[in-house]
Amino acid sequence: CGPPVMYKFVLMALEEHGLKPENKGEVLVTGAAGGVGSIAIAILSQLGYRVAASTGRAETHAYLRDLGASTIVDRAELETPPKGPMGPERWSGAIDNVGGQTLGSLLASLAYWGSCASVGNAGGIAFSSTVIPFLLRGINLLGIDSATCPLERRLTAWARLATDLPLDKLATMTKVVGLANLPAMADQILKGQVQGRVVVDVSQ
């Protein structure tokens, strides 16, 4: 379904669980320089949220700030397990494209009743956490499956994209490549070297 509409499924789920711009704390986006992460930052910022972008690539910091991130969080910070079962209330919500220990760490710092949408596993499919943040802060971990999403919800997501996505930032986060360049681009994607979203022009 592509990064833009995938992100709208994510935002709709978070909103249904209480995410609002006025909530305490920033919204954390992990894997921020990727396709879903880039779209997430641009739309969240457009809607009035304060956004924290997590990345391990220093060369993307200016790009992420241009998209609307107010804070840059080093990926290594989230890869370090918390010292206890809970950290300070730091995030009003989170969009996790990474999985692994990053997911486990950020859950411990969600604010009361905060939610995290899990949409990726670039950092691994296993993560370590405890039930304490769920029991003492009432947090939610939301799985996002776009493949089986009902048509009505898809249409709602597309309609919201038309108003929520800042088109002036779309070109900044989009790279168009020809079909012949796809093998080389796929290698870059797997190595985490791509910024934003990649569109393949099959006519080239």
Side-chain angles (χ1 to χ4, degrees), residues 175-182 198-204:
K175 181 184 179 85
V176 179
V177 299
L179 191 59
N181 302 114
L182 192 54
V198 177
V199 176
V200 179
D201 185 345
V202 296
S203 67
Q204 297 182 25

Side-chain angles (χ1 to χ4, degrees), residues 73-88:
V73 179
D74 192 292
R75 179 172 60 201
E77 180 181 338
L78 295 171
E79 290 176 340
T80 303
K83 294 181 179 179
M86 287 199 301

Side-chain angles (χ1 to χ4, degrees), residues 24-183:
K24 178 181 179 180
E26 296 172 303
V27 179
L28 174 67
V29 179
T30 67
V36 174
S38 296
I39 294 288
I41 294 168
I43 293 181
L44 286 168
S45 177
Q46 174 86 350
L47 296 177
Y49 289 92
R50 292 174 294 120
V51 186
S54 173
T55 181
R57 295 184 284 165
E59 68 273 16
T60 66
H61 289 190
Y63 163 75
L64 295 172
R65 292 192 185 279
D66 287 343
L67 291 180
S70 54
T71 304
I72 304 295
V73 179
D74 192 292
R75 179 172 60 201
E77 180 181 338
L78 295 171
E79 290 176 340
T80 303
K83 294 181 179 179
M86 287 199 301
E89 289 183 82
R90 191 169 180 185
W91 321 117
S92 62
I95 298 169
D96 178 47
N97 296 287
V98 176
Q101 185 54 53
T102 292
L103 177 57
S105 296
L106 74 85
L107 291 175
S109 294
L110 281 176
Y112 277 90
W113 311 111
S115 298
C116 171
S118 175
V119 294
N121 60 2
I125 60 173
F127 71 95
S128 176
S129 184
T130 75
V131 299
I132 299 302
F134 298 93
L135 300 179
L136 298 187
R137 288 189 180 157
I139 68 168
N140 304 289
L141 178 57
L142 311 176
I144 307 298
D145 175 19
S146 62
T148 60
C149 185
L151 177 60
E152 182 178 351
R153 192 168 181 83
R154 290 176 183 274
L155 293 175
T156 299
W158 280 112
R160 289 199 54 182
L161 272 175
T163 58
D164 294 351
L165 179 61
L167 295 181
D168 60 320
K169 295 180 180 178
L170 190 57
T172 304
M173 64 179 85
T174 304
K175 181 184 179 85
V176 179
V177 299
L179 191 59
N181 302 114
L182 192 54

